[in-house]
Amino acid sequence: MEKFRWAYIGSGNIAKSTARSITKGDHCITAVYSRNYEKAKDFAQKYKAEAFKSFNELLESGNFDGVYVATPHTSHLEYAVKTMQSGIPVLCEKPVGTSTYEVDLMIKASKENGVYFCEAMWTWFSDMAKGVKKWIDEKRIGEIKSVHIDYMFPGLMMSKDSRVLTPETAGGALLDVGIYPITYCYNLFGEPETVKCTGTIKNGIDVEETVTLGYDRFECVLEMSLARLKEGCKITGTKGEINIPMFHMARLATLKADGKKERLTGKTDYLTEFTRAAEEIRAGKTESDYIPHRATRDCMKIMDECRKQMGLVYPFEK
């Protein structure tokens, strides 16, 4: 089978990371657009792709099978919707937008134009996360009693002009790192009955927060931060527990129950994500089996509620 041809929108860090991974497999990059044409040219040259000075010119070229949007999430809506209106499939970096309103517009564009639209959340394209979910569904640790997930990294040490620390680009802990534990919990247990959030806002962004998702008989306590370094997921049941040290990019998960220990090993990588998205696009799907539209919308709705409870409003929303 011929390699799947991707057009890249954006040439920053995440674009570079995914490109290094996917070009080791049955993928190639044939077109690149970035607001900084010189950076786009440098990126394109490395992968023998064509750099475009305008987004419209890239869309009109047609020398690709799908578009990958890897810009700051405040610009995802514009690029994703316009691409889908041109009848072109879209794999869009997480989070796909900054609010449920934006997600709804993207899902609408997907349905109206009959084209694929999916959030690029590599965690749930991986067999590792699916394996943990299978343990839960099979009640290997019995009934769930509690869940605690941490995802923290010292983002405050980044350059002050980083998009992660900039209110104008919807920076902060919630959308950049909080989406991982929220999505993980959602995919395991579904939409929560209650959402509680407390957090700290400094210089227009949320530095850290604790989000508690309430279910019928247990709670998921999710802690996210740009001020510390910590990651892990512990799920406790009536018969045992599951631990995933690096849950968002898991290579190991352990299950302890009935005096026995079981290990699940594998990988979470960009190549698997892009390969499975490409397979779905070639199959004519308009949404992913791995990350359905509803999952993307429900998780954004949770983050909307968290922002509401914290009083977090981005400058472009005022």
Side-chain angles (χ1 to χ4, degrees):
M1 184 178 290
E2 293 184 355
K3 289 189 175 185
F4 194 92
R5 303 170 302 165
W6 291 98
Y8 265 50
I9 309 302
S11 57
N13 291 335
I14 187 63
K16 292 173 183 175
S17 295
T18 56
R20 283 193 298 268
S21 179
I22 71 170
T23 50
K24 295 176 183 177
D26 293 329
H27 303 266
C28 61
I29 301 167
T30 55
V32 181
Y33 166 73
S34 174
R35 287 176 299 177
N36 186 318
Y37 181 61
E38 293 304 315
K39 289 184 178 180
K41 278 202 305 181
D42 291 342
F43 185 92
Q45 184 177 14
K46 185 172 183 178
Y47 296 101
K48 298 179 181 179
E50 182 178 1
F52 290 86
K53 290 185 177 180
S54 82
F55 177 55
N56 287 338
E57 287 177 353
L58 180 144
L59 291 181
E60 291 168 2
S61 73
N63 184 32
F64 47 83
D65 304 304
V67 163
Y68 169 56
V69 180
T71 58
H73 35 263
T74 43
S75 60
H76 287 178
L77 176 63
E78 175 188 358
Y79 292 131
V81 168
K82 198 163 188 177
T83 300
M84 288 186 281
Q85 288 174 342
S86 299
I88 301 166
V90 172
L91 179 64
C92 185
E93 257 310 316
K94 60 83 196 166
V96 296
T98 61
S99 66
T100 307
Y101 171 76
E102 291 190 352
V103 173
D104 284 342
L105 291 177
M106 288 182 252
I107 293 174
K108 180 182 178 183
S110 171
K111 292 180 177 180
E112 288 182 347
N113 295 282
V115 293
Y116 185 85
F117 171 68
C118 178
E119 184 171 34
M121 173 66 73
W122 67 341
T123 306
W124 284 94
F125 277 95
S126 166
D127 290 332
M128 288 297 300
K130 298 294 183 184
V132 171
K133 181 169 175 58
K134 188 170 184 287
W135 280 346
I136 298 292
D137 293 344
E138 292 175 348
K139 297 188 182 297
R140 295 287 301 280
I141 59 170
E143 299 297 327
I144 303 302
K145 293 171 58 180
S146 66
V147 179
H148 192 104
I149 309 179
D150 296 307
Y151 190 23
M152 311 173 186
F153 85 102
L156 294 181
M157 296 178 66
M158 300 172 71
S159 170
K160 290 184 179 180
D161 60 357
S162 166
R163 65 156 189 84
V164 176
L165 303 179
T166 305
E168 288 77 13
T169 52
L174 183 66
L175 293 188
D176 269 291
V177 299
I179 186 172
Y180 282 109
I182 288 171
T183 301
Y184 207 87
C185 193
Y186 174 88
N187 276 280
L188 290 180
F189 308 114
E191 189 172 7
E193 297 176 1
T194 59
V195 178
K196 297 178 182 178
C197 176
T198 58
T200 301
I201 298 174
K202 292 182 180 179
N203 300 320
I205 65 165
D206 56 307
V207 175
E208 58 186 7
E209 51 259 310
T210 298
V211 177
T212 303
L213 304 182
Y215 291 87
D216 183 28
R217 297 179 181 178
F218 64 94
E219 291 183 334
C220 292
V221 179
L222 318 175
E223 296 191 61
M224 51 213 72
S225 175
L226 295 178
R228 292 175 281 167
L229 180 61
K230 187 178 182 182
E231 180 177 353
C233 173
K234 182 178 181 179
I235 306 166
T236 304
T238 53
K239 295 181 180 179
E241 66 180 39
I242 296 170
N243 283 278
I244 314 104
M246 300 284 287
F247 75 93
H248 94 286
M249 53 181 293
R251 291 180 177 270
L252 170 69
T254 59
L255 182 153
K256 296 178 182 178
D258 300 321
K260 298 179 181 179
K261 184 176 180 179
E262 185 175 336
R263 289 162 55 94
L264 177 66
T265 59
K267 61 183 178 180
T268 301
D269 62 356
Y270 297 122
L271 179 56
T272 300
E273 173 188 22
F274 276 70
T275 296
R276 290 181 168 174
E279 289 171 350
E280 291 184 321
I281 291 170
R282 282 175 163 158
K285 293 180 179 292
T286 57
E287 67 177 297
S288 176
D289 292 333
Y290 300 95
I291 306 175
H293 293 166
R294 180 177 176 180
T296 295
R297 187 186 191 278
D298 285 350
C299 290
M300 183 58 71
K301 186 168 68 173
I302 292 170
M303 291 190 287
D304 279 355
E305 178 61 25
C306 290
R307 288 211 289 134
K308 179 181 178 182
Q309 292 183 22
M310 287 190 291
L312 177 61
V313 180
Y314 301 122
F316 54 85
E317 296 176 317
K318 296 177 181 179

